[in-house]
Amino acid sequence: MVGAGISGLAAGYHLQASCLGQSFAILEARDALGGTWDLFRYPGIRSDSDIFTLGFSFKPWRGRESIAGAPAILGYLREAASEQGLDQHIRYGHRLCQASWDSATARWSVEVERSDGSPPVIIQCRFLFMCSGYYAYSRAHRPDFAGEHDFRGPIVHPQFWPEDLDHRGKRVLVIGSGATAITLVPALARHAAHVTMVQRSPTYLVARPSTDRLANALRAVLPAKLAYRLVRWKFIARDLLFYKFAIALPAATRALLLGLLRWKLGPGHDIARDFTPRYLPWRQRLCLVPDGDFFDSINAGKAAIETGEIDRFTATGIRLRSGKELPADIIVTATGLEMELMSGVQLLVDGVPVSPAQTIGYKGCMYSGIPNLASSFGYENASWTLKAELTCRYVCRLLQHMEAEGKDFCIARATGVEPGEDRLLNLDAGYVTRALGRLPRQGRRAPWKALHNYFADSLLLGRGRLDDGALEFLNASARAP
């Protein structure tokens, strides 16, 4: 497994539980587990979905909050790793650079760089499971703005937040309108003199309580695991139903979201200009506002929104194309992530370089023509962990099947499959559109397209036929073309 975040830990747990006797290692490029939740350190960082579905199915969340902060999530992940003995399988400071498959021996040879200065090492494995998330840790999306060198204060990106940055009593400009900006604004506004969010266009916002009454009530009267399971299913069903409603009735969903927003903000705001997106609901992910803290900071006068395009940075802030000057002591560029599938690892199959963009996705977790490899990739409309765990269980089913049938490897064959118009992520977010040329294509129907439906995937990955005519099982003596 590559990556010791949510997906890698889930993979380790399910492999231990279902494939007894299998040896495995979790390679982690950094010096700590946790992935996203250890990497990001900006103020207020929290989950952008409920913790009951972001958490593992095998470990109940015991906190009272349903939208949790990064420190609590990181503590939960560390506890899960320790309880299951997964921390003993993690090799820290091991960054995968290249993976080469040999059909003659049915083995992956992976080249790993080590952060302690030791020479690179080659590790062989039968199956390679990429659990490294969907964006680059070492770089972020950061447009160049005219006049940046003129600005006298610090310019920071949330992905690389300086530990010694002091924003108390300062005027802060946050560029962006996505989940990171919506999180940052109220967190910074607690101590800053004032925070202004500068957006080119608005995002759909939805306020939800940070605690769930039903969850806490059930835990008071039911065993922890049963209560957790019931609450988890409640959130799964609720979010999927809302998504289906939004896709089927976008105009009604738009009116509902804007109506709730007007009620939360009160009078005196330009809803059309600052809060009404140009796109229909769920063409981008909705931004969650726990307890309405973003709206509270605006209503209290601690924060404001400016909608318009940036002309240039100045010595004292930002000038919009409208000519309006926005003064600042600190500028935060919450301008997005750089999407990167499978950590950008170079793959070779029998000596031939293979790019995921040349393949067609199989069941949302494998790729045509690439043997004994799966990757964990989450949903566009639900918590990442839901799809991650389904993928982990599916990989375990594959390993069990190959062992029972005496087969060495499996490979998805997309013979006769026509690429469809859908994408791996059907979102118009910038980080998706910028990466389209690097993502696998999708077919027109299952198993060659990502479903983004937990219930459908539960059947396809959990109970669907393994030997379905598309997935071929071979032995090392049968060299794949």
Side-chain angles (χ1 to χ4, degrees):
M1 281 84 83
V2 180
I6 285 177
S7 297
L9 297 179
Y13 168 82
H14 287 287
L15 192 67
Q16 285 188 157
S18 303
C19 300
L20 300 178
Q22 294 278 8
S23 62
F24 69 95
I26 303 174
L27 306 183
E28 171 54 53
R30 304 174 71 246
D31 294 324
L33 62 80
T36 295
W37 304 107
D38 181 70
L39 174 72
F40 284 97
R41 304 295 176 91
Y42 61 81
I45 178 173
R46 52 169 172 77
S47 59
D48 64 349
S49 58
D50 70 275
I51 191 62
F52 297 101
T53 55
L54 185 68
F56 299 122
S57 63
F58 55 87
K59 180 175 173 56
W61 171 259
R62 301 188 185 279
R64 290 190 59 81
E65 63 278 4
S66 59
I67 302 170
I73 296 173
L74 187 56
Y76 170 85
L77 296 178
R78 288 170 176 165
E79 193 174 87
S82 177
E83 288 175 354
Q84 302 300 328
L86 301 174
D87 47 358
Q88 303 303 311
H89 294 270
I90 301 173
R91 303 186 187 184
Y92 293 107
H94 280 55
R95 187 177 71 86
L96 179 59
C97 303
Q98 177 178 289
S100 179
W101 169 263
D102 177 39
S103 295
T105 58
R107 292 290 186 273
W108 282 101
S109 295
V110 298
E111 182 179 341
V112 179
E113 290 183 349
R114 293 182 283 184
S115 62
D116 62 1
S118 302
V121 64
I122 302 294
I123 304 175
Q124 289 195 333
C125 61
R126 291 191 301 132
F127 201 98
L128 186 58
F129 194 2
M130 303 299 295
C131 302
S132 50
Y134 69 103
Y135 65 91
Y137 279 20
S138 60
R139 64 185 188 278
H141 178 62
R142 172 69 163 77
D144 293 325
F145 296 99
E148 283 188 46
H149 296 296
D150 297 334
F151 181 62
R152 297 172 183 167
I155 302 173
V156 300
H157 192 287
Q159 190 165 329
F160 310 105
W161 195 269
E163 292 184 5
D164 58 350
L165 182 66
D166 185 6
H167 66 277
R168 290 176 295 180
K170 304 291 181 63
R171 297 166 301 176
V172 184
L173 295 183
V174 178
I175 302 173
S177 60
T180 302
I182 299 301
T183 299
L184 269 168
V185 168
L188 294 172
R190 295 189 189 103
H191 302 292
H194 191 266
V195 181
T196 301
M197 189 175 86
V198 185
Q199 61 178 12
R200 187 169 50 187
S201 60
T203 299
Y204 285 107
L205 308 177
V206 57
R208 284 182 180 166
S210 61
T211 58
D212 187 80
R213 292 182 180 179
L214 177 62
N216 292 326
L218 288 177
R219 286 190 292 189
V221 296
L222 295 176
K225 289 186 177 180
L226 176 59
Y228 181 67
R229 189 174 297 117
L230 292 173
V231 174
R232 186 177 170 89
W233 277 107
K234 167 207 159 179
F235 279 104
I236 292 172
R238 183 201 68 179
D239 291 347
L240 184 59
L241 286 173
F242 179 75
Y243 174 77
K244 292 291 187 183
F245 176 82
I247 297 301
L249 300 169
T253 305
R254 182 187 184 96
L256 173 63
L257 292 173
L258 293 179
L260 291 172
L261 190 143
R262 287 188 182 94
W263 172 75
K264 199 70 182 175
L265 276 171
H269 299 279
D270 193 333
I271 301 297
R273 182 192 65 195
D274 295 332
F275 295 97
T276 304
R278 303 169 185 170
Y279 55 89
L280 293 174
W282 274 114
R283 291 312 305 165
Q284 297 185 27
R285 283 182 68 102
L286 304 184
C287 283
L288 185 63
V289 183
D291 295 328
D293 59 359
F294 178 80
F295 307 126
D296 291 342
S297 63
I298 292 175
N299 288 331
K302 294 286 291 180
I305 293 178
E306 285 289 343
T307 303
E309 294 191 17
I310 295 173
D311 177 43
R312 64 177 293 110
F313 284 27
T314 67
T316 57
I318 286 176
R319 181 189 305 140
L320 302 181
R321 289 192 176 177
S322 64
K324 187 172 184 177
E325 299 275 352
L326 303 177
D329 302 303
I330 300 171
I331 296 177
V332 180
T333 56
T335 46
L337 307 168
E338 192 67 38
M339 197 168 180
E340 184 176 66
L341 191 65
M342 296 192 289
S343 298
V345 171
Q346 183 181 5
L347 299 175
L348 293 93
V349 175
D350 293 324
V352 179
V354 177
S355 166
Q358 301 169 332
T359 71
I360 298 179
Y362 175 76
K363 294 189 176 181
C365 62
M366 297 181 72
Y367 307 93
S368 61
I370 304 181
N372 275 20
L373 180 142
S375 71
S376 179
F377 200 91
Y379 288 127
E380 65 188 28
N381 54 9
S383 291
W384 179 275
T385 314
L386 295 177
K387 179 63 180 294
E389 287 206 73
L390 288 178
T391 303
C392 293
R393 295 189 185 103
Y394 178 70
V395 168
C396 290
R397 288 184 67 206
L398 280 180
L399 295 174
Q400 291 171 327
H401 178 80
M402 286 191 285
E403 184 172 353
E405 298 296 320
K407 299 297 183 180
D408 296 319
F409 64 98
C410 59
I411 183 170
R413 303 287 194 193
T415 306
V417 177
E418 295 184 10
E421 296 181 357
D422 286 342
R423 312 167 181 172
L424 180 61
L425 288 175
N426 284 307
L427 299 173
D428 293 332
Y431 69 90
V432 177
T433 57
R434 290 191 298 270
L436 288 179
R438 303 191 298 273
L439 300 180
R441 295 168 293 170
Q442 299 292 294
R444 298 183 182 276
R445 60 184 61 87
W448 297 105
K449 65 179 293 185
L451 300 178
H452 293 285
N453 183 312
Y454 180 77
F455 297 101
D457 274 333
S458 295
L459 294 175
L460 181 67
L461 296 175
R463 299 183 181 277
R465 284 181 53 203
L466 296 173
D467 192 356
D468 60 359
L471 194 64
E472 186 177 359
F473 293 88
L474 301 167
N475 287 313
S477 58
R479 191 176 181 87

